[in-house]
Amino acid sequence: MTLPTASSPGARLRLVNLSKAFGGTRAVDNVTLELGPGSFTALLGPSGCGKSTMLSLIAGLVDADSGGVELDGHRVDGVPAEHRPIGLVFQKPLLFPHLSVEANVAFGLRMRQVPRREARPLVRDMLAKVQLSALAGRRVGALSGGQEQRVAIARALVLSPRLLLLDEPFSQLDATLRVEMRALVRALTDEAKVTTLFVTHDQAEAVELAEDIALMLDGRITGQAAADVFYTRPPSLAAARFFGATNELPGHVDAGRFTCPGARGSVLADVPDGPAVLVARPETLQLSTEVLSGTPGPTVAEALRLCGIATTARFAGTHLSVDVRLDGEAALTVHVPVGTSVELGDDVTVTAPRSACTVFGTGR
């Protein structure tokens, strides 16, 4: 049997209106998603949103209620899991404790009846790539958690899959080891040119690893874009809230411009006129001790300027996190450089330039 070479291109994955319900709960709700050949995409979302179910549907471990899974334009819905060119790594490694490291990595090749003389160099090469050559003869029960996960990844990649599914494989590892494993996985998948879908609930992990993020909330994909887009131009208010550390200012859009109570200035808003909310990340706002004069109003300046009082200033390593109580009940958090002189109770001005702002309509 001839396996694809490591230079074989990854598959193009396409999910078409994919749905799956358990009882009265729709775990996956009419999902359409596409991954390009050789891409690395993070499927990001909170626990219970349907991420693992979606991976099981793609892998063929669970049958969909409706919709389909396509690889390179071919439907694979009826293809048994063992015949799909897919590698799957779970949160728990699920290794065979009575077998050695080498035998675990070779297991899939043996099931595919690859002759031992062909399988052995493939296994040894893969063990070298995951830095486990010295442990080839050791039983997996004597390995650390990180080593076990390396074995699981090697076992999946040695089959040269065209699609690799990773279901939160680092969630049980300590922080330092997670960083090491992220770098290893990205290096291995880049070398293999395998299309990869990486499930995680950790925003930082998704941003660090993936070229692209598909955000899943309540069984649906609510946005797919490059990681920086979710920070700078979130596709929805729910997406902005999931990525956290976001300020929200309720206000109003009139003639395509947003303003809010107490603000000087306005910013363009690509939403219908009516009630709206502006979101801006703390690191994109500007803080000064300049005191504004004059009457607030929606002038045409491409920024909002708001007066307030500094109520807290917390050291956060790379910056100070300053909370500002605005005129009225609203509040903002602003990140400023360490060493900035901010005293509690100071009158301050917060400026939100247009580039920092995303506006969402909230209905009438």
Side-chain angles (χ1 to χ4, degrees):
M1 176 180 183
T2 302
L3 291 172
T5 65
S7 61
S8 298
R12 179 178 295 280
L13 171 68
R14 186 165 178 257
L15 310 181
V16 184
N17 304 126
L18 196 64
S19 293
K20 180 64 181 180
F22 296 100
T25 303
R26 279 209 157 197
V28 176
D29 189 4
N30 199 39
V31 167
T32 294
L33 181 69
E34 186 164 341
L35 275 61
S39 61
F40 194 116
T41 301
L43 180 61
L44 175 66
S47 297
C49 73
K51 305 185 301 295
S52 294
T53 300
M54 200 161 93
L55 254 63
S56 295
L57 292 169
I58 296 169
L61 304 177
V62 173
D63 292 330
D65 295 333
S66 60
V69 178
E70 296 179 1
L71 290 178
D72 292 329
H74 301 288
R75 291 284 290 264
V76 296
D77 306 62
V79 178
E82 62 271 22
H83 295 309
R84 299 187 187 192
I86 295 173
L88 181 58
V89 178
F90 296 97
Q91 190 177 65
K92 295 182 179 179
L94 301 180
L95 304 177
F96 300 106
H98 61 289
L99 297 180
S100 68
V101 168
E102 185 171 11
N104 267 277
V105 175
F107 183 80
L109 296 171
R110 190 166 55 128
M111 291 298 97
R112 291 190 179 183
Q113 300 181 345
V114 177
R116 182 169 297 182
R117 66 180 180 277
E118 295 180 25
R120 186 171 295 155
L122 293 174
V123 171
R124 290 180 176 175
D125 179 59
M126 187 55 64
L127 286 174
K129 289 178 180 178
V130 297
Q131 303 163 20
L132 289 177
S133 297
L135 303 180
R138 183 174 296 185
R139 294 290 179 92
V140 295
L143 300 179
S144 68
Q147 290 168 338
E148 287 184 348
Q149 205 57 280
R150 288 172 189 254
V151 175
I153 292 167
R155 184 173 62 183
L157 286 176
V158 77
L159 297 172
S160 295
R162 304 198 56 229
L163 173 65
L164 179 64
L165 307 176
L166 301 169
D167 192 1
E168 302 208 53
F170 311 143
S171 62
Q172 299 187 25
L173 305 180
D174 63 50
T176 300
L177 193 53
R178 282 201 301 271
V179 172
E180 295 176 3
M181 290 298 292
R182 289 174 198 166
L184 176 64
V185 163
R186 191 58 210 255
L188 290 171
T189 54
D190 283 350
E191 181 183 356
K193 299 181 177 62
V194 58
T195 306
T196 303
L197 185 59
F198 180 92
V199 162
T200 182
H201 63 270
D202 185 324
Q203 296 98 320
E205 190 167 71
V207 168
E208 181 180 339
L209 267 174
E211 303 154 0
D212 210 27
I213 292 176
L215 180 62
M216 192 170 192
L217 300 173
D218 297 324
R220 298 183 177 185
I221 300 297
T222 63
Q224 182 180 7
D228 62 328
V229 172
F230 280 96
Y231 280 92
T232 59
R233 286 289 177 266
S236 67
L237 185 56
R241 287 170 173 167
F242 181 78
F243 271 77
T246 296
N247 294 295
E248 297 184 23
L249 279 175
H252 196 274
V253 173
D254 185 24
R257 304 191 73 85
F258 174 91
T259 192
C260 60
R264 277 79 165 173
S266 63
V267 292
L268 288 170
D270 189 20
V271 299
D273 287 0
V277 60
L278 178 148
V279 298
R281 297 188 64 81
E283 63 271 19
T284 65
L285 301 178
Q286 301 159 12
L287 184 76
S288 75
T289 54
E290 173 191 359
V291 178
L292 298 179
S293 60
T295 303
T299 59
V300 184
E302 279 304 314
L304 289 181
R305 304 184 77 196
L306 302 118
C307 296
I309 297 173
T311 57
T312 61
R314 300 179 300 277
F315 176 69
T318 58
H319 60 271
L320 290 179
S321 183
V322 181
D323 292 333
V324 178
R325 187 177 71 248
L326 303 177
D327 294 342
E329 297 183 359
L332 292 174
T333 299
V334 185
H335 292 173
V336 299
V338 174
T340 300
S341 179
V342 181
E343 298 292 336
L344 302 189
D346 279 353
D347 290 324
V348 295
T349 298
V350 177
T351 300
R354 175 69 187 99
S355 59
C357 304
T358 305
V359 178
F360 299 99
T362 55
R364 294 186 179 274

